[in-house]
Amino acid sequence: MSDENITYHIPVLLNESIDGLNLENGKVFVDVTFGGGGHSKEILRRLGDDGRLLGFDQDQDAERNIVDDNRFTFVRSNFRYLANFLRYHGIDEIDGLLADLGVSSHHFDDSERGFSFRFDGKLDMRMNQKASMTAADILNTYEEEQLASILYLYGELKNSRKLASVIVKSRATTSIKNTSDFINIIQPLFGRDREKKEMAKVFQALRIEVNQEMEALKEMLYSAAEYLKPGGRLSVITYHSLEDRIVKNFIKSGNVEGKIEQDFFGNIQSPFKLINNKVITPTPEEIERNPRSRSAKLRIAEKK
């Protein structure tokens, strides 16, 4: 892997997530979060000559990392359109799907993308830079109630209503365009001891709304269940409780709400069986090597 790829994103739980796919030659796999290509390159390294891998990413920056390999196909798209592109490429079923739902280090470290409160830059946060709505658009146009709802649901912020009120009052005077403008508005609402954690939650909430991340995840999971063969594997790495709850519910029940259906004998009806009963987390050594992996959780399931 080149130095450029390492700075783009250090793959998290690399061996554990790919071991979970149960790779075999001649089979078809999908990496729906291609990013820096770290997971995809390891899949290709282990995959036989007759295997096939599709890599999805909606970010144009990810195209710099495309793998030159006749077994690999890059799909420039949001993974919510998984089913459409599998049909387009003539694929009726797949043997495994990997998703690393974390935001690439590349995004957090690029001030122009506006993902991090550590740098000043435009409040953009679009994964797909051709999309129309930015974080600044949300902050300047959403109703106060909408803003409060996003901050509460996606950031799990207890003072979401107060935050929304302050944002709306401030934008009435001057529109909010840059990271520094926004931080100056909301910073007084946080205590010094939790300032960074609360700020991260605010930025997380905006990023999720800009990119419609929860909706995209749900659509992708339903498509994965439809296209995975019996015995096919789902290997998903999550980083916060919202997405982890969706993945956990889906594996357990076959739906994102976690509604359990039982047969006549009381057996839970789900299209999946768990491969790891206990969630897999990074080792202390991996966390030391890559601190951004510390909140990662890996869940692996097999299609029945």
Side-chain angles (χ1 to χ4, degrees):
M1 195 185 298
S2 70
D3 289 342
E4 184 182 350
N5 289 65
I6 288 171
T7 55
Y8 188 101
H9 187 64
I10 302 170
V12 174
L13 291 164
L14 180 64
N15 291 318
E16 296 90 338
S17 61
I18 293 169
D19 288 345
L21 289 174
N22 199 22
L23 295 177
E24 286 184 39
N25 191 22
K27 297 196 171 182
V28 180
F29 296 89
V30 182
D31 176 356
V32 294
T33 49
F34 178 73
H39 287 99
S40 281
K41 286 178 182 176
E42 182 61 18
I43 290 170
L44 289 167
R45 192 183 70 78
R46 300 192 197 184
L47 199 57
D49 294 340
D50 298 322
R52 188 175 181 188
L53 173 67
L54 279 80
F56 279 69
D57 208 294
Q58 63 183 326
D59 184 4
Q60 66 186 25
D61 288 354
E63 294 189 42
R64 299 177 198 161
N65 307 315
I66 288 177
V67 184
D68 183 16
D69 190 308
N70 59 14
R71 299 168 298 167
F72 179 75
T73 303
F74 181 76
V75 179
R76 169 80 186 278
S77 173
N78 188 307
F79 59 46
R80 74 191 306 168
Y81 304 115
L82 173 67
N84 299 21
F85 281 95
L86 289 177
R87 282 196 298 271
Y88 175 79
H89 287 284
I91 296 169
D92 298 321
E93 51 188 7
I94 60 175
D95 298 282
L97 181 146
L98 183 142
D100 176 356
L101 301 175
V103 179
S104 292
S105 304
H106 164 78
H107 290 129
F108 281 127
D109 295 339
D110 185 348
S111 60
E112 292 179 13
R113 302 293 293 273
F115 283 96
S116 175
F117 58 86
R118 292 184 295 122
F119 309 108
D120 190 24
K122 289 183 179 178
L123 282 161
D124 191 320
M125 299 195 196
R126 292 172 299 170
M127 294 288 188
N128 177 1
Q129 290 173 291
K130 291 181 180 178
S132 57
M133 186 173 67
T134 67
D137 293 329
I138 289 168
L139 291 170
N140 289 297
T141 64
Y142 274 31
E143 298 289 337
E144 187 174 324
E145 192 66 32
Q146 274 181 293
L147 284 171
S149 179
I150 289 162
L151 293 166
Y152 182 75
L153 292 173
Y154 298 155
E156 300 181 294
L157 288 144
K158 292 175 182 175
N159 62 342
S160 58
R161 290 188 179 279
K162 181 65 177 170
L163 279 163
S165 173
V166 167
I167 290 164
V168 169
K169 282 186 181 118
S170 179
R171 78 187 188 195
T173 310
T174 314
S175 61
I176 306 163
K177 294 178 181 176
N178 296 323
T179 308
S180 57
D181 300 334
F182 185 46
I183 288 171
N184 288 335
I185 293 163
I186 63 173
Q187 202 166 28
L189 276 69
F190 301 129
R192 299 285 292 183
D193 55 330
R194 288 188 56 80
E195 188 178 284
K196 286 185 179 177
K197 282 191 175 181
E198 299 297 295
M199 207 79 78
K201 287 180 179 181
V202 172
F203 274 65
Q204 172 185 290
L206 286 171
R207 191 199 77 228
I208 289 171
E209 178 67 10
V210 168
N211 298 289
Q212 299 291 294
E213 290 178 27
M214 297 300 107
E215 290 80 1
L217 174 59
K218 292 170 186 176
E219 288 176 35
M220 183 273 286
L221 289 171
Y222 282 114
S223 295
E226 180 188 347
Y227 276 85
L228 276 167
K229 287 181 187 176
R233 294 284 184 88
L234 189 64
S235 182
V236 185
I237 304 168
T238 64
Y239 293 82
H240 58 76
S241 59
L242 300 172
E243 61 193 13
D244 187 56
R245 195 177 305 129
I246 289 170
V247 173
K248 184 180 178 181
N249 283 345
F250 190 76
I251 289 171
K252 185 179 177 183
S253 66
N255 60 75
V256 296
E257 295 84 16
K259 292 176 184 171
I260 300 293
E261 291 184 14
Q262 296 178 323
D263 63 16
F264 178 78
F265 301 101
N267 298 311
I268 293 173
Q269 299 290 91
S270 172
F272 294 101
K273 67 174 183 181
L274 282 172
I275 296 301
N276 58 321
N277 288 317
K278 187 179 178 185
V279 70
I280 298 168
T281 55
T283 61
E285 291 76 24
E286 178 170 4
I287 293 169
E288 189 176 345
R289 258 191 342 265
N290 180 15
R292 284 177 175 160
S293 71
R294 64 186 175 276
S295 58
K297 291 181 178 178
L298 170 63
R299 297 184 186 276
I300 304 164
E302 185 174 287
K303 179 86 175 282
K304 290 179 182 174

